Amino acid sequence: MPGARRISVAAKLIGSFLTIALIVLAVAVVGYLGMRAINAELSDVFEEELQPITILGQIDAAFYRMRGDVYQYVLQPQERARLEQVIATGRAEVERAGERYTALNLAADERAAWSKFSKAWAVYQQEIANVLALVRADNQDEALRSLGAGPAGTSSQAVAEALDGLIELHSHHADQAQQEGAATFRQNTVILAVATVLGLLLAIMAGLRVGAAVAVPRVAQVELHDDAELGGDTGQG
């Protein structure tokens, strides 16, 4: 029946277009999820690695400035009052940066490395206090020996090594996060490519289905038309 055929064709057309719409939606969702995963990886790199490295860089710079200021304190008597305040400011800067660092979401090995730095820093501060006391007691030679191969110099080297270890640890973790991000990108690229290919195949199948659904009624119409003409010719005969 022509009416039933028209309804059947309409249903197939609607179904095919809905299928294509779902394919487009599925590909879009896959793409969105992949981009969200990559964004999460980038956020982790910033929050967990780049931010700590930035803070550690500030601590490192303040520490080396402080070392220079202590030497100037010993060697420049006329600047000692000012330099003592500068040294205190540098110490406070390191401690404030340390508070920001420990407030971050640190891994267990990072906290262990920070604990090592904190112990070395406490010893260094004590030795610097001893150096300043030696200078106040007019014993600059002993102060310089301490800053060289003595206790102050040894503790300073321990602080530098602990800082270098922390920065290297975070750099290693940042490299790992970058590799994980690259792997996530490759994985999502493959998923998106597969989803796109599947979507194209399904769209082609839907198109063929629509073509077949449209062609069948056309063939039926042609056959009916031929039958009608044949019947007419027979009647005239």
Side-chain angles (χ1 to χ4, degrees), residues 52-206:
I53 289 175
T54 300
I55 295 174
L56 291 173
Q58 294 169 353
I59 292 174
D60 190 62
F63 164 63
Y64 279 101
R65 283 198 305 269
M66 185 177 176
R67 287 179 62 176
D69 293 335
V70 171
Y71 269 102
Q72 290 185 58
Y73 181 88
V74 176
L75 299 173
Q76 299 181 16
Q78 70 279 9
E79 296 289 333
R80 283 174 185 163
R82 181 186 66 82
L83 287 170
E84 190 164 358
Q85 292 299 318
V86 172
I87 291 168
T89 300
R91 182 187 304 114
E93 183 179 349
V94 170
E95 291 173 354
R96 285 195 301 271
E99 290 174 357
R100 296 201 310 274
Y101 177 82
T102 54
L104 299 174
N105 183 27
L106 302 175
D109 55 350
E110 293 165 351
R111 291 197 176 276
W114 177 259
S115 177
K116 179 181 178 181
F117 166 79
S118 297
K119 292 175 182 176
W121 176 254
V123 173
Y124 176 66
Q125 291 308 302
Q126 183 59 53
E127 294 302 332
I128 292 303
N130 293 338
V131 167
L132 298 185
L134 287 171
V135 174
R136 294 191 197 101
D138 201 23
N139 195 351
Q140 286 87 348
D141 291 340
E142 185 63 30
L144 287 173
R145 278 194 291 272
S146 178
L147 288 171
T154 302
S155 61
S156 174
Q157 184 63 29
V159 170
E161 290 176 356
L163 265 176
D164 289 344
L166 271 167
I167 293 172
E168 183 178 353
L169 181 61
H170 279 285
S171 297
H172 176 66
H173 288 173
D175 288 340
Q176 287 182 324
Q178 190 274 333
Q179 293 173 8
E180 291 172 0
T184 300
F185 174 77
R186 289 193 297 270
Q187 179 183 4
N188 283 286
T189 299
V190 171
I191 293 173
L192 186 58
V194 171
T196 301
V197 170
L198 289 176
L200 287 173
L201 291 175
L202 289 173
I204 291 170
M205 292 173 62

